[in-house]
Amino acid sequence: MKTGAGRFFEDYRLGETLVHAVPRTLTDGERALYHALYPARHAVFSSDEFARACGMSSSPLDDLIVFHTVFGKTVPDISLNAVANLGYAEGRWLRPVWPGDTLTATSQVIGLRETSNRTAGVVWVRTEGRNQRDEPVLSYVRWVMVRKRDADATAAAATVPDLAAVVPSEALVVPDGLDFTGYDFARAGEPHAWEDYVPGERIDHRDAVTVEEAEHMLATRLWQNTARVHFDVTQRQDGRRLIYGGHVLSLARTLSFNGLANAQMVVGLNGGSHANPCFAGDTVRAWSEVLDKAETAVPSVGALRLRLVATRGEPFLLRDAAGKYLPEVLLELDYWALLPRRG
Amino acid sequence: MKTGAGRFFEDYRLGETLVHAVPRTLTDGERALYHALYPARHAVFSSDEFARACGMSSSPLDDLIVFHTVFGKTVPDISLNAVANLGYAEGRWLRPVWPGDTLTATSQVIGLRETSNRTAGVVWVRTEGRNQRDEPVLSYVRWVMVRKRDADATAAAATVPDLAAVVPSEALVVPDGLDFTGYDFARAGEPHAWEDYVPGERIDHRDAVTVEEAEHMLATRLWQNTARVHFDVTQRQDGRRLIYGGHVLSLARTLSFNGLANAQMVVGLNGGSHANPCFAGDTVRAWSEVLDKAETAVPSVGALRLRLVATRGEPFLLRDAAGKYLPEVLLELDYWALLPRRG
Amino acid sequence: MKTGAGRFFEDYRLGETLVHAVPRTLTDGERALYHALYPARHAVFSSDEFARACGMSSSPLDDLIVFHTVFGKTVPDISLNAVANLGYAEGRWLRPVWPGDTLTATSQVIGLRETSNRTAGVVWVRTEGRNQRDEPVLSYVRWVMVRKRDADATAAAATVPDLAAVVPSEALVVPDGLDFTGYDFARAGEPHAWEDYVPGERIDHRDAVTVEEAEHMLATRLWQNTARVHFDVTQRQDGRRLIYGGHVLSLARTLSFNGLANAQMVVGLNGGSHANPCFAGDTVRAWSEVLDKAETAVPSVGALRLRLVATRGEPFLLRDAAGKYLPEVLLELDYWALLPRRG
């Protein structure tokens, strides 16, 4: 058999490193597609001139392009037989990626725990993306529920990694040279600086997008993500294509421009849940809540910890009284972004 | 409130200059998408070699890429609360835009007139796009009907700008170096030179495209145009997404290749009307009428003034006996293009 | 009349050369779109670093990008009035195409045969694509059934070219510098080398894609292919848009990654049939059969002759007892690919 069925739970070994296939050179072409697929407007990723005025050599690729590219590489080894994508933690963007850079990805298995009914198990991996100079550009932990090939197979003793609830602000990496002194708020689109955001504040981003099949498939293929359920209507009983959770993530992040236009760069991923599946025809909107704020080593650059929620209903919905996600909620993300300080 | 509701009629002041947000670097990626979204085939914008044979350093970006990019930047400040996009005038392309250039846009308010029922008003703006060297690349006047926030708000005295009905041919800018001596008609796709077109002549461009939701949303986002009505089915009572008028414009211009393959560059916009709304499922075709012709300062380059009509019906339909656009007509555009002369 | 109706059967002359219009510069933008439209993952076309490790200066453009671009240029002159695309033969990729290269195409009429009912005829052309240095990059023979304008028009005596059933392996061109010594099987995605494939072996590629209207129209326009039947619902009685056969071809080739990840480069096209029409909504899958294998002049590079079948049904379906394609079969392709040898 030349085609594999993918890995099952019992195939993973604690501590093993998986070298993911198909390195990828990213260019202006991928950026243009990203900006056609999502309402991306953050100025650092839109304009070489704006990026230069912020101390960078030119405009780097949107931080979520990097995330999706690295994530996509892991799919054939991690989530081809996944039942559910359970969570993220300890995500850090370590270095900008520029058009022309080539990314590779590896994952280390850092946790394994069989389910009580023994038909599946949770696999924790720490995934790292690197550029062509072998410099790390992104690191994050993800855990997924993976089916067993054989329910009777013996599983290793459970090992659950100890993960940080939040990436500490001191661990966030401000890109080399980034300096928001002299930041042009008018050209960036909004007057709000880091100082203007207060923990507890909630923002309705107001814009919305009704999602089409062609769009999410273009996006998911762009990241060489091969999970069948996104492309093939015969994969689910209901004949629907499940939209890649990362598509919803990018929609929500770019919709958040309206109210967070100056939250230029995503540098930390504290956690995230794909609360409910998203399908074509859904009208996706987003809201945010300021969870925390912190200074960075660069005086003109502040960090904001944000809860970003994608929903197909009203803003500010999240969980019911029992703590369960409301059915309209598609995604909850907890991340750190960098903003200009007024100084 | 971190998210604004956009400007209403009473927020505009005669003479004020609006600095539009989010400068944009355009690349080969945007060009590739343009050529996937529309049947674009004009050789100057398709081939570096062809452009070089016409005296340019390489192939510039399609003239309507420049228009849409500049237009898109104005939307959050001009047309977020617009009821209707009423017209265009005095449009001139002033300099080619090349992959790697970064565009910014500003608009000056040059006219204001409240409607008689006082619930809205017409705003005239002169918009200018500039490149990263602060050189103007495009200038045009647009007027839109904008809602008032408060019908009782006092409006300034009406000022209606005096606009040219047609950009005079002497004011058209032939790009530096452009020279159609030795023009390769076979590679361009048609044998017709400037001399072969006669005012009054009408051309059925024959090709047609049935429009899809995913396509017009990809296009509209590519220009960072954020008008909600194009993306969000909850914005209209009928649950339909209104297609960005510029999508129809680019469809019509590129469909006009068949019969106007040598009308290589758009350099003047005399006027335009989005006659009727366009929706996904419409099959759009185009026809043209030669309105006028003129020489330029470059002997090998002639100018043709063209009426371009997009329709979802038969060619050559335009208005009824009362002068009203027929329901099939989507767009009427009056523009100047540059063609090779046989010499 | 400025717009032509295209050529009819009686317009072709044996031996004449058609210079096709609109040269095209291909860039990273076209590559990004290709990778969004198809599940393309072959590492040589995905990563500059991987391509360099295989002896190339950087990653060339996917071989089918070259095919579709050259093919698209021929449509206005060859297949605008075609009833059917009948076959391919003697196809050879002669030189890689790199981002920034500009392609042109010409075709020579090498065969003509009127149908017995005299309403149409078969036209054979040998098409050649060249780059901006006038170096050939692709050559292939295609034959199509073309309508006559006038059934009574006299046709030339029938001339049917003598075509090779298979491109001999000695005629395949291994790109300059290509060397699979030290090939990284882990990064390429599969461990199977040329030695591991056996004639007669069949592979179910397992993945599938349900096709959308927006996708195939984006793809077809990207190649400046203007055949109306792909875009305009009024062209067919049933109101459906026929999907460009090349879209199915690229789907099948990229789906074949799963099992043929190391069949990096397509270098020969022995034959092909668009067995049945494909429409939006079809779920396309692919299977392959190894037909032959051969050494090349480069010791680390082997050639595999493969039958690639696209189907909307089960794998391994092909023809019925009478030799007729089963209705589920969309495409049968017979091609040569280059793979690494273990040495």
Side-chain angles (χ1 to χ4, degrees):
Chain A
M1 280 290 288
K2 290 293 193 306
T3 50
R7 281 170 163 256
F8 291 86
F9 178 68
E10 60 266 45
D11 299 327
Y12 293 93
R13 296 287 167 267
L14 194 70
E16 75 173 317
T17 295
L18 305 164
V19 174
H20 304 302
V22 196
R24 176 71 173 280
T25 303
L26 295 168
T27 71
D28 290 326
E30 279 74 24
R31 188 209 307 258
L33 267 159
Y34 192 79
H35 288 219
L37 288 162
Y38 307 107
R41 296 181 72 218
H42 287 94
V44 160
F45 300 112
S46 176
S47 162
D48 282 342
E49 304 302 313
F50 195 96
R52 278 182 201 123
C54 296
M56 314 192 83
S57 58
S58 64
S59 177
L61 293 172
D62 304 69
D63 27 45
L64 292 183
I65 292 181
V66 178
F67 179 79
H68 296 312
T69 301
V70 170
F71 183 101
K73 313 244 135 292
T74 70
V75 167
D77 299 314
I78 306 292
S79 38
L80 213 61
N81 297 305
V83 184
N85 205 358
L86 298 173
Y88 304 97
E90 299 188 0
R92 293 191 307 146
W93 279 255
L94 300 168
R95 194 172 265 99
V97 173
W98 312 92
D101 281 357
T102 300
L103 301 190
T104 54
T106 53
S107 296
Q108 190 176 20
V109 179
I110 61 169
L112 291 168
R113 188 183 57 197
E114 198 180 24
T115 55
S116 53
N117 66 8
R118 301 201 56 204
T119 62
V122 180
V123 180
W124 282 261
V125 291
R126 186 179 301 275
T127 296
E128 193 175 65
R130 288 179 172 260
N131 65 21
Q132 70 278 16
R133 288 177 297 278
D134 207 35
E135 299 164 334
V137 299
L138 174 69
S139 174
Y140 65 91
V141 172
R142 166 162 89 113
W143 53 106
V144 293
M145 174 86 70
V146 179
R147 273 189 291 268
K148 286 175 78 178
R149 184 185 294 105
D150 169 12
D152 294 332
T154 307
T159 308
V160 176
D162 188 25
L163 298 170
V166 179
V167 177
S169 62
E170 311 81 55
L172 301 176
V173 177
V174 178
D176 261 6
L178 189 72
D179 182 354
F180 285 145
T181 311
Y183 185 90
D184 188 339
F185 288 89
R187 287 297 186 195
E190 289 183 350
H192 324 304
W194 178 79
E195 290 84 350
D196 302 326
Y197 292 89
V198 183
E201 178 179 358
R202 300 197 303 178
I203 302 163
D204 170 9
H205 299 300
R206 304 175 67 111
D207 296 314
V209 173
T210 307
V211 180
E212 296 293 313
E213 300 282 11
E215 289 172 357
H216 76 82
M217 294 202 295
L218 287 169
T220 308
R221 274 189 298 251
L222 188 59
W223 320 125
Q224 299 179 317
N225 178 331
T226 59
R228 293 183 183 122
V229 78
H230 307 315
F231 300 106
D232 173 0
V233 297
T234 68
Q235 290 289 310
R236 285 169 56 99
Q237 296 270 347
D238 64 5
R240 301 169 89 181
R241 279 163 276 184
L242 183 68
I243 292 180
Y244 163 47
H247 190 63
V248 178
L249 200 168
S250 273
L251 269 178
R253 159 68 178 155
T254 52
L255 286 169
S256 79
F257 178 91
N258 200 351
L260 284 167
N262 297 320
Q264 291 283 354
M265 309 186 87
V266 174
V267 288
L269 177 58
N270 302 310
S273 287
H274 300 287
N276 283 292
C278 181
F279 299 102
D282 284 350
T283 298
V284 178
R285 57 193 76 241
W287 61 273
S288 293
E289 181 177 347
V290 181
L291 295 176
D292 198 2
K293 49 196 298 185
E295 301 186 349
T296 74
V298 180
S300 62
V301 178
L304 224 52
R305 185 181 156 209
L306 294 154
R307 181 201 312 280
L308 172 64
V309 179
T311 161
R312 59 186 154 223
E314 294 302 301
F316 307 133
L317 294 177
L318 190 59
R319 293 173 190 270
D320 64 17
K324 196 170 171 307
Y325 284 115
L326 290 165
E328 295 89 347
V329 175
L330 302 170
L331 171 81
E332 180 185 12
L333 202 79
D334 179 338
Y335 74 103
W336 284 104
L338 300 182
L339 287 85
R341 296 177 64 176
R342 269 208 205 80
Chain B
M1 282 290 288
K2 290 293 193 304
T3 49
R7 282 170 163 255
F8 291 88
F9 178 68
E10 61 266 46
D11 299 328
Y12 293 93
R13 297 288 167 264
L14 194 71
E16 74 173 318
T17 296
L18 304 164
V19 174
H20 305 302
V22 195
R24 176 71 173 280
T25 303
L26 295 168
T27 71
D28 290 327
E30 279 76 22
R31 188 209 307 257
L33 267 159
Y34 192 79
H35 289 220
L37 288 161
Y38 307 107
R41 298 180 73 218
H42 286 94
V44 160
F45 301 112
S46 176
S47 162
D48 282 342
E49 303 304 313
F50 194 96
R52 277 181 202 125
C54 296
M56 315 193 82
S57 56
S58 64
S59 178
L61 294 172
D62 303 69
D63 26 45
L64 291 183
I65 292 181
V66 177
F67 179 80
H68 296 313
T69 302
V70 170
F71 184 101
K73 312 245 136 290
T74 72
V75 167
D77 300 314
I78 307 291
S79 39
L80 212 59
N81 296 306
V83 183
N85 206 357
L86 298 173
Y88 304 96
E90 300 189 0
R92 293 192 305 147
W93 278 256
L94 301 167
R95 194 173 264 98
V97 173
W98 312 92
D101 282 356
T102 300
L103 300 190
T104 55
T106 54
S107 296
Q108 191 177 20
V109 180
I110 62 167
L112 291 170
R113 188 181 60 196
E114 199 179 24
T115 55
S116 54
N117 66 7
R118 302 201 57 204
T119 61
V122 180
V123 180
W124 283 261
V125 290
R126 186 179 301 277
T127 295
E128 194 176 66
R130 288 178 173 263
N131 67 20
Q132 71 278 14
R133 289 177 297 277
D134 207 35
E135 298 165 335
V137 299
L138 174 68
S139 175
Y140 66 92
V141 172
R142 166 162 89 114
W143 55 106
V144 292
M145 174 86 71
V146 180
R147 274 189 289 270
K148 286 175 78 179
R149 183 186 293 105
D150 170 12
D152 295 331
T154 307
T159 307
V160 176
D162 187 26
L163 298 171
V166 179
V167 177
S169 63
E170 311 81 54
L172 301 176
V173 178
V174 178
D176 262 7
L178 188 72
D179 182 354
F180 285 144
T181 312
Y183 185 89
D184 188 338
F185 288 89
R187 287 297 187 195
E190 290 183 350
H192 323 303
W194 177 80
E195 289 84 350
D196 302 326
Y197 292 90
V198 183
E201 179 177 358
R202 299 196 304 177
I203 302 162
D204 170 9
H205 300 300
R206 304 175 67 112
D207 296 314
V209 174
T210 307
V211 181
E212 295 294 312
E213 301 283 12
E215 289 172 357
H216 76 82
M217 295 202 296
L218 287 169
T220 308
R221 274 189 299 252
L222 187 60
W223 321 124
Q224 299 179 318
N225 178 332
T226 58
R228 294 183 183 122
V229 78
H230 306 316
F231 300 106
D232 173 1
V233 297
T234 68
Q235 291 287 311
R236 286 169 56 99
Q237 295 270 347
D238 64 5
R240 301 170 88 181
R241 278 162 278 183
L242 183 69
I243 292 180
Y244 163 47
H247 189 63
V248 178
L249 200 168
S250 274
L251 269 178
R253 158 70 178 154
T254 52
L255 286 169
S256 80
F257 178 91
N258 199 351
L260 284 167
N262 296 320
Q264 291 284 354
M265 308 186 88
V266 175
V267 289
L269 177 59
N270 302 309
S273 287
H274 300 286
N276 284 291
C278 182
F279 299 102
D282 285 350
T283 297
V284 178
R285 56 192 79 239
W287 62 272
S288 293
E289 181 177 348
V290 181
L291 296 176
D292 199 3
K293 49 196 298 186
E295 301 186 348
T296 74
V298 179
S300 62
V301 178
L304 224 52
R305 185 180 156 210
L306 294 156
R307 181 200 311 282
L308 172 63
V309 179
T311 162
R312 59 187 154 223
E314 294 302 300
F316 308 132
L317 294 178
L318 190 60
R319 294 173 190 269
D320 64 17
K324 197 170 171 308
Y325 284 116
L326 291 165
E328 296 89 346
V329 176
L330 302 170
L331 170 82
E332 181 185 11
L333 202 79
D334 179 338
Y335 74 103
W336 284 105
L338 300 181
L339 288 86
R341 296 177 65 177
R342 269 209 204 80
Chain C
M1 281 291 287
K2 291 292 193 305
T3 49
R7 281 170 164 257
F8 291 85
F9 178 69
E10 60 265 47
D11 300 328
Y12 294 92
R13 296 285 166 269
L14 193 71
E16 74 174 318
T17 296
L18 304 164
V19 174
H20 304 302
V22 196
R24 176 70 173 281
T25 304
L26 295 168
T27 72
D28 290 326
E30 280 74 23
R31 187 209 307 258
L33 266 158
Y34 192 80
H35 289 219
L37 287 161
Y38 306 107
R41 296 181 73 216
H42 286 95
V44 160
F45 301 111
S46 176
S47 162
D48 283 341
E49 304 304 312
F50 194 95
R52 278 183 202 121
C54 296
M56 315 192 83
S57 57
S58 63
S59 177
L61 294 172
D62 303 68
D63 27 45
L64 291 182
I65 292 181
V66 178
F67 179 79
H68 296 313
T69 300
V70 171
F71 183 102
K73 312 247 134 290
T74 71
V75 167
D77 300 314
I78 307 291
S79 40
L80 213 59
N81 297 306
V83 185
N85 205 357
L86 298 174
Y88 304 96
E90 300 189 1
R92 293 191 306 147
W93 279 255
L94 301 168
R95 194 173 265 100
V97 173
W98 312 92
D101 281 357
T102 300
L103 301 190
T104 54
T106 54
S107 297
Q108 190 177 22
V109 179
I110 61 167
L112 291 169
R113 189 181 59 197
E114 198 179 23
T115 55
S116 54
N117 66 9
R118 303 201 54 205
T119 62
V122 179
V123 179
W124 282 261
V125 291
R126 188 179 301 276
T127 296
E128 192 176 67
R130 288 179 173 261
N131 67 19
Q132 69 277 15
R133 287 178 298 278
D134 207 36
E135 298 164 334
V137 299
L138 174 69
S139 174
Y140 66 92
V141 172
R142 166 163 88 112
W143 54 106
V144 293
M145 173 86 71
V146 180
R147 274 189 290 268
K148 286 176 78 180
R149 184 186 293 104
D150 170 12
D152 294 332
T154 307
T159 309
V160 175
D162 187 27
L163 298 171
V166 178
V167 177
S169 62
E170 311 82 54
L172 301 176
V173 178
V174 178
D176 261 6
L178 189 71
D179 182 354
F180 285 144
T181 312
Y183 185 89
D184 188 338
F185 288 89
R187 288 296 186 194
E190 289 183 349
H192 324 303
W194 177 80
E195 290 83 351
D196 302 326
Y197 292 89
V198 183
E201 178 179 359
R202 298 196 305 176
I203 303 163
D204 171 7
H205 300 301
R206 304 176 66 111
D207 296 313
V209 173
T210 307
V211 180
E212 296 293 312
E213 300 282 13
E215 289 172 358
H216 76 81
M217 294 202 295
L218 286 169
T220 308
R221 273 189 298 253
L222 188 60
W223 320 124
Q224 299 180 317
N225 178 332
T226 58
R228 294 186 181 118
V229 78
H230 307 315
F231 300 106
D232 174 0
V233 297
T234 68
Q235 291 288 312
R236 285 169 55 99
Q237 296 270 348
D238 64 5
R240 301 170 90 181
R241 278 163 278 184
L242 183 68
I243 292 180
Y244 164 48
H247 190 62
V248 178
L249 199 168
S250 274
L251 270 177
R253 159 70 177 154
T254 51
L255 286 169
S256 80
F257 178 91
N258 199 351
L260 284 167
N262 296 321
Q264 291 284 354
M265 309 186 87
V266 174
V267 289
L269 178 59
N270 302 310
S273 287
H274 300 287
N276 283 291
C278 180
F279 299 104
D282 285 350
T283 297
V284 178
R285 58 192 77 240
W287 62 272
S288 293
E289 181 177 348
V290 180
L291 296 176
D292 199 1
K293 49 194 302 187
E295 301 187 349
T296 75
V298 180
S300 63
V301 178
L304 224 52
R305 183 179 158 212
L306 294 155
R307 182 200 312 278
L308 172 63
V309 179
T311 160
R312 60 187 154 223
E314 294 303 301
F316 307 132
L317 294 179
L318 190 60
R319 295 172 189 269
D320 63 18
K324 197 170 170 309
Y325 284 116
L326 291 165
E328 296 88 347
V329 175
L330 302 171
L331 170 82
E332 180 185 12
L333 202 79
D334 179 337
Y335 74 103
W336 283 105
L338 301 181
L339 287 87
R341 297 177 64 177
R342 269 210 203 78

